[in-house]
Amino acid sequence: MASAASAHPLSRYGWDEGWEAEFAGHAERGLLPGRVVRVDRGQCDVVTGDDVVRADTAFVTPHDPLRVVCTGDWVAVDADGTPRYVRAYLPRRTAFVRSTSSKRSEGQILAANVDHAVVALSLAAELDLGRVERFLALAWESGAQPVVVLTKADLVPGPAVLAHLVQDVERSAPGVPVLAVSALDGDGVEELAGLLGRGTSVLLGASGAGKSTLANALVGEDVMDVQATRDADGKGRHTTTTRNLLPLPGGGVLIDTPGLRGVGLWDAGGGVGQVFSEIEELAQRCRFHDCAHEFEPGCAVLAAVDTGDLTVRRLDSYRKLVRENQWIVAKSDARLRADIRQDWKRKQAEGRAAWRAKRGEWG
């Protein structure tokens, strides 16, 4: 016998017994459950089953940008009235957060209650593995399972070249499914749809990555506008300007997002460690527990670079993301910020001393 939650009109949007239990107190107040499918200028579209209602977010707009209502949130909304208001949102299970590009470096939530974070990367341009690693760090930190989708596979000259590109990305994405997809001819779309058929997925990537075309292919109809990319650099315009939640015909829902120019880390230390799990494992064998993997004797990470088991590019990317994440975290902690500055100065001095020693310069 089906549970009440599975028979609920919101079940196709992810409603389950857990959400029903969380909502019980709001139901007693006569409020309706709904899921936010779009947010725009203090208003949001909320699906409540067969209907989509427009609701004001004035009562759930705190000063903390990470606590504002976002696409994917489950909310309690007025049952009637004009205007309707969102009165509360349920505690989030997961949240995909990045740092804004502003000088204040505030966190910005892109999607809530996400099970899969789909990173779209166009094969029409040169692969940027560092950008993939950055997205994956945020995805792991969010609590979602990352998936990398290499779009526009039909533009790659031959299966051997395509297999090589997939392998390159797989080496930068341990534990992450990597799929090559062509939304134009349908290759790989069914496999991806099967992977995303349960739960909520968020589609992420730069403008021109083919996200809207991929969203249309997954949904089975043209629900998102598509514009051609520029031939000169493979970049596209921001066709999608808001985050939209779309039900998939085979089950699950998809949140399509605008193209992201900047993807800053936001307290993603755990995510960085997961993306670079092989470096973290090697670091356990370093002679010094605080080894920076730059010049220290007995460094297992540098030894792996020397033997070719670890690439210089991958180590450089790891260092860059670790430093960036430390700095973001330190912005809200003055003592930690001072400690990091002091540590950097010490390591710079040690590096200069090691360089002089290597050249035979003393004193």
Side-chain angles (χ1 to χ4, degrees), residues 5 14 22 30 46 117 140 167 228 284 293-294 301 344 357-358 363:
E22 289 280 0
V46 180
W140 281 123
Q167 289 173 359
Q284 298 298 314
H293 321 306
E294 293 179 353
V301 174
W344 284 354
K358 189 174 182 179

Side-chain angles (χ1 to χ4, degrees), residues 225-239:
D225 290 334
V226 176
Q227 293 180 350
T229 57
R230 299 193 295 259
D231 292 335
D233 55 12
K235 296 180 179 179
R237 302 178 184 90
H238 285 298
T239 305

Side-chain angles (χ1 to χ4, degrees), residues 41 112 234 315 325:
R41 299 178 183 178
L315 178 56
N325 192 67

Side-chain angles (χ1 to χ4, degrees), residues 152-313:
K152 307 183 183 181
D154 53 285
L155 300 180
V156 177
V161 176
L162 181 59
H164 177 72
L165 292 171
V166 170
Q167 289 173 359
D168 274 353
V169 176
E170 286 176 336
R171 283 191 286 267
S172 298
V176 176
V178 179
L179 303 177
V181 172
S182 170
L184 185 65
D185 57 27
D187 286 348
V189 174
E190 186 175 347
E191 183 182 359
L192 177 60
L195 190 63
L196 308 182
R198 298 184 64 183
T200 300
S201 304
V202 61
L203 189 53
L204 305 154
S207 297
K211 298 190 308 303
S212 295
T213 302
L214 182 58
N216 288 340
L218 289 167
V219 174
E221 56 182 297
D222 292 340
V223 292
M224 304 301 298
D225 290 334
V226 176
Q227 293 180 350
T229 57
R230 299 193 295 259
D231 292 335
D233 55 12
K235 296 180 179 179
R237 302 178 184 90
H238 285 298
T239 305
T240 305
T241 56
T242 58
R243 289 173 281 283
N244 304 276
L245 189 145
L246 312 166
L248 300 176
V253 290
L254 179 70
I255 298 175
D256 191 20
T257 64
L260 301 174
R261 290 192 179 93
V263 190
L265 298 186
W266 182 260
D267 196 5
V272 172
Q274 203 149 356
V275 175
F276 297 93
S277 56
E278 82 279 27
I279 297 180
E280 297 270 303
E281 184 177 343
L282 285 167
Q284 298 298 314
R285 303 202 293 268
C286 290
R287 181 183 301 177
F288 304 108
H289 70 88
D290 61 344
C291 184
H293 321 306
E294 293 179 353
F295 52 79
E296 296 87 348
C299 175
V301 174
L302 295 179
V305 172
D306 290 339
T307 61
D309 293 329
L310 178 67
T311 65
V312 172
R313 186 212 67 78

Side-chain angles (χ1 to χ4, degrees), residues 105 321-333 336-338 340-341 344:
S105 294
L321 294 184
V322 167
R323 285 195 299 267
E324 179 182 329
N325 192 67
Q326 286 178 334
W327 186 246
I328 287 294
V329 173
K331 278 181 175 288
S332 59
D333 189 325
L336 179 59
R337 185 162 61 247
I340 289 174
R341 282 201 184 105
W344 284 354

